[in-house]
Amino acid sequence: MAHNLNKIITKGLDSLKATFGEESIEKAIAHTKRFMVEIPGWQVWEGFGGGGRFEGETTGGGARNTEEIAQDIGFIHQLTKSTPDVGIHILWFLSKDGITGDFEIARKVKEELENNGIRMGSISPTYFLSGSEDGSFTSQQPAARKRYIEQTLLGAKIAAELSNGLLTLWFPDGTNYPGQRELQQKIELMMDCITEFWERVPEDTKSKLNKVLFEYKLFEPGTYSTTIPDWGTARELSRLIGEKGGVLVDLGHHHHGTNIEQIVAALISFGIPGGFHFNTRYAADDDHSVQADYLLAKIFYELIKGDVIYNENPSKNWAYALDQMVRAEQRIPSILKSIDALKRSIAKAVLIDGISLGGYQEKKDIIGASVEFEKALLHTDTGPIVMESYRRQGLHPVPLTVYHESGYQTKIEQERR
Ligand code: AFD
Ligand code: MN
Ligand code: MN
């Protein structure tokens, strides 16, 4: 390793210790090391258009099938020891015809993943693709609704029997014009289908499910109305699933300026199971690679305070995944950058001195509290902590460097023409 890298880490840690103390730095390194994030298979898949929804030219080397998806994410996990789970979309990866899912294909994909040192993660029924023009659970065609309920039942079976019991539901249901469909009818159809789905899940499968998370989205593909546009709607629908029903927060799915950490605090305080799809948005649901900005640090502060990351009781922990992909960028470097950003952000959140902050709060020293909060979450470079966390696992401190030096990108671009 370049001598200066060691120097950067050592000097960086010394500076951080001077500010926050040895104990806090050790705690931050330990938490950073432990944090795992799921990589959805579509992040490396050539077939996913991703942010901006503009298809067309893309960087080369995209995985063409589930075997190559397993190879790519398996390589990422070798470099980072942080991505053991792979999210799976049923009709993208577990289907011959893009209309129905196939349990036997799921078995094959599980094996492919495990042959590459990783595991099947969250299962997402695919409520878009052909046949969803009038919606999925809110379609006016009973046959369409039935098909999507069957697929969701298959998703529950796969999640329970082959994976980690996590079922994540994103419904693209919505409309483009007022009057196109009855808004209340779409919500009622959504409720009816969720109820029918859950009634038909066998008890044994229910017992093996960990969470069923409902993802909300401000808009898209429908630009006038989205049937599940906010966390309140997602929460109301998740109640139909009982205690395992919860809410999935995708960072790109909010109005500009939304106080997302307030939503996180509410979900935690109300004891609602939760999960994340991490990305960065500039305009809307852009699915850009994650940035270690103030928002993300504040979110991790709430997650750690709410004990939903490192809880000894695994069922209390939220589900953490990326959900990004822009065709113009190289996929694996984009993911490695996101992992770095997430780890930097956790480290910041762990560095907060709760006693000192609490003191300012109790004294009603508003600026004192704000300065204390910003010291860790806004002004601190936790890069040395992340590098040290990799080094302690016998890994190169900068996985992105290893990736570029490995020749893997050239190899996949040549092989996967
Ligand atoms: C799209 C949706 C949503 C969903 C993802 C995978 O906006 O974020 O989680 O596709 O289905 O990005
Ligand atoms: Mn998402
Ligand atoms: Mn999205």
Side-chain angles (χ1 to χ4, degrees):
M1 180 184 356
H3 178 70
N4 64 348
L5 201 49
N6 268 321
K7 201 185 285 180
I8 288 169
I9 297 173
T10 308
K11 287 172 80 69
L13 290 178
D14 286 347
S15 165
L16 288 164
K17 285 173 190 169
T19 306
F20 295 100
E22 176 106 22
E23 194 182 331
S24 285
I25 300 308
E26 282 304 314
K27 186 177 163 206
I29 292 169
H31 276 59
T32 303
K33 204 169 118 185
R34 279 178 68 187
F35 183 70
M36 302 287 152
V37 63
E38 176 182 288
I39 309 297
W42 59 92
Q43 314 287 257
V44 294
W45 181 47
E46 67 168 1
F48 180 60
R53 301 290 174 273
F54 297 107
E55 304 311 318
E57 234 353 81
T58 170
T59 50
R64 297 165 297 186
N65 52 52
T66 50
E67 174 63 39
E68 291 177 352
I69 287 172
Q71 288 162 9
D72 289 359
I73 299 175
F75 188 46
I76 292 168
H77 189 45
Q78 282 173 35
L79 298 179
T80 64
K81 292 187 183 170
S82 303
T83 61
D85 295 332
V86 177
I88 297 293
H89 240 291
I90 294 180
L91 295 189
W92 273 340
F93 306 130
L94 307 181
S95 168
K96 293 189 190 83
D97 59 9
I99 299 289
T100 51
D102 182 321
F103 190 83
E104 290 317 307
I105 298 178
R107 249 198 252 279
K108 175 192 70 95
V109 170
K110 173 185 168 70
E111 209 175 307
E112 286 171 351
L113 293 167
E114 289 169 359
N115 290 341
N116 285 272
I118 47 183
R119 304 173 307 214
M120 193 179 259
S122 68
I123 303 299
S124 298
T126 312
Y127 298 112
F128 42 91
L129 303 186
S130 83
S132 64
E133 292 72 19
D134 187 38
S136 59
F137 276 13
T138 70
S139 170
Q140 295 171 96
Q141 285 75 37
R145 298 198 299 271
K146 180 176 178 345
R147 176 165 79 87
Y148 286 111
I149 290 172
E150 293 300 333
Q151 191 195 158
T152 312
L153 287 164
L154 174 66
K157 179 178 164 67
I158 294 168
E161 295 180 24
L162 301 178
S163 185
N164 59 5
L166 180 58
L167 195 57
T168 53
L169 312 180
W170 173 64
F171 297 90
D173 295 55
T175 57
N176 285 334
Y177 292 95
Q180 178 183 339
R181 286 285 306 276
E182 288 303 321
L183 301 180
Q184 295 172 46
Q185 183 208 32
K186 284 182 86 79
I187 294 170
E188 285 147 19
L189 284 171
M190 183 65 79
M191 292 168 72
D192 294 348
C193 289
I194 293 167
T195 302
E196 180 183 337
F197 154 68
W198 196 240
E199 279 169 357
R200 292 177 52 195
V201 176
E203 284 311 312
D204 177 50
T205 303
K206 281 180 183 167
S207 68
K208 291 177 188 157
L209 284 176
N210 172 340
K211 289 182 185 64
V212 181
L213 298 181
F214 289 73
E215 183 172 2
Y216 60 92
K217 185 171 187 180
L218 181 60
F219 76 97
E220 203 181 59
T223 48
Y224 164 64
S225 77
T226 298
T227 306
I228 310 178
D230 53 43
W231 75 271
T233 307
R235 175 52 183 157
E236 280 309 301
L237 293 171
S238 71
R239 286 183 197 284
L240 298 169
I241 300 293
E243 62 181 12
K244 294 186 178 180
V247 174
L248 194 147
V249 181
D250 183 307
L251 289 186
H253 291 187
H254 302 84
H255 280 292
H256 268 283
T258 300
N259 183 334
I260 299 175
E261 59 271 32
Q262 178 71 48
I263 295 172
V264 173
L267 293 171
I268 290 171
S269 305
F270 296 141
I272 300 167
F276 263 97
H277 277 176
F278 294 111
N279 47 54
T280 288
R281 52 80 59 85
Y282 299 108
D285 181 35
D286 313 332
D287 291 339
H288 288 300
S289 183
V290 181
Q291 282 178 325
D293 56 16
Y294 193 26
L295 166 64
L296 193 59
K298 291 183 287 180
I299 285 170
F300 274 108
Y301 174 76
E302 295 302 329
L303 294 170
I304 287 176
K305 198 140 181 80
D307 203 10
V308 290
I309 293 190
Y310 301 109
N311 197 304
E312 296 311 313
N313 174 353
S315 70
K316 295 286 183 207
N317 287 321
W318 282 23
Y320 301 103
L322 296 185
D323 185 10
Q324 65 179 67
M325 177 53 219
V326 178
R327 291 177 77 82
E329 63 206 36
Q330 290 182 344
R331 295 161 179 79
I332 294 175
S334 177
I335 291 167
L336 291 171
K337 175 184 172 297
S338 293
I339 296 164
D340 178 72
L342 292 169
K343 288 180 176 271
R344 283 170 178 265
S345 304
I346 288 188
K348 292 176 188 175
V350 173
L351 289 178
I352 285 241
D353 177 341
I355 294 165
S356 174
L357 178 63
Y360 288 115
Q361 291 168 342
E362 277 145 36
K363 284 187 300 191
K364 302 186 183 60
D365 180 348
I366 294 171
I367 296 304
S370 173
V371 166
E372 184 69 19
F373 202 71
E374 288 185 4
K375 183 171 89 173
L377 295 185
L378 187 56
H379 301 305
T380 297
D381 171 11
T382 50
I385 290 174
V386 177
M387 290 195 273
E388 178 63 5
S389 77
Y390 283 129
R391 192 164 67 168
R392 292 198 185 175
Q393 298 176 83
L395 296 169
H396 187 289
V398 187
L400 191 53
T401 301
V402 181
Y403 180 74
H404 286 314
E405 290 172 356
S406 71
Y408 192 89
Q409 185 67 32
T410 307
K411 174 176 162 291
I412 59 177
E413 287 184 10
Q414 280 167 356
E415 281 174 7
R416 301 175 188 175
R417 286 183 188 286

